[in-house]
Amino acid sequence: MLLPAKAEVARHLRRYRAWERAMLASPADRDVRATFEDSGYTLCVLMGKRCAREAAEAAERYLRSSVVAYLQEQSDLPRAGAVARRGPPRSAERSPAGR
């Protein structure tokens, strides 16, 4: 897995947080909101997340930890696309009574 340079992550996280503060100060300003959303999108792409809040949290974790620790943490998280198997238990499928 390729990871971005920490300096880039830090720069985009600072930009996102600055625009977040500006948007909260002026929620009716469409230009501020659009720039905030653009900065969130950039952070999402950079961190491989679908939500700007998740991307900001991931960026903060990434900047606090080593690359190896971050990758281990990411592999320990449950996968969003993982679907539990549905249906009868496997032991019931192999029972002699079902044959």
Side-chain angles (χ1 to χ4, degrees), residues 2-16:
L2 292 176
L3 291 173
K6 284 194 172 192
E8 282 298 304
V9 173
R11 185 170 69 88
H12 285 287
L13 182 60
R14 279 192 309 271
R15 182 175 185 265
Y16 173 78

Side-chain angles (χ1 to χ4, degrees), residues 72-85:
Q72 287 174 341
E73 179 183 310
Q74 292 302 305
S75 66
D76 290 343
L77 295 175
R79 301 212 183 264
V83 177
R85 183 180 181 280

Side-chain angles (χ1 to χ4, degrees), residues 32-85:
V32 171
R33 181 174 290 275
T35 307
F36 168 65
E37 290 175 356
D38 287 346
S39 68
Y41 175 78
T42 301
L43 200 57
C44 286
V45 171
L46 195 62
M47 298 308 299
K49 301 292 181 184
R50 290 184 171 208
C51 168
R53 182 171 291 153
E54 289 176 8
E57 290 170 1
E60 289 168 350
R61 282 193 312 271
Y62 178 57
L63 293 172
R64 280 194 309 262
S65 65
S66 69
V67 173
V68 173
Y70 178 77
L71 288 173
Q72 287 174 341
E73 179 183 310
Q74 292 302 305
S75 66
D76 290 343
L77 295 175
R79 301 212 183 264
V83 177
R85 183 180 181 280

Side-chain angles (χ1 to χ4, degrees), residues 76-99:
D76 290 343
L77 295 175
R79 301 212 183 264
V83 177
R85 183 180 181 280
R86 294 180 186 222
R90 291 193 187 270
S91 60
E93 291 174 358
R94 295 182 191 155
S95 69
R99 289 187 184 174

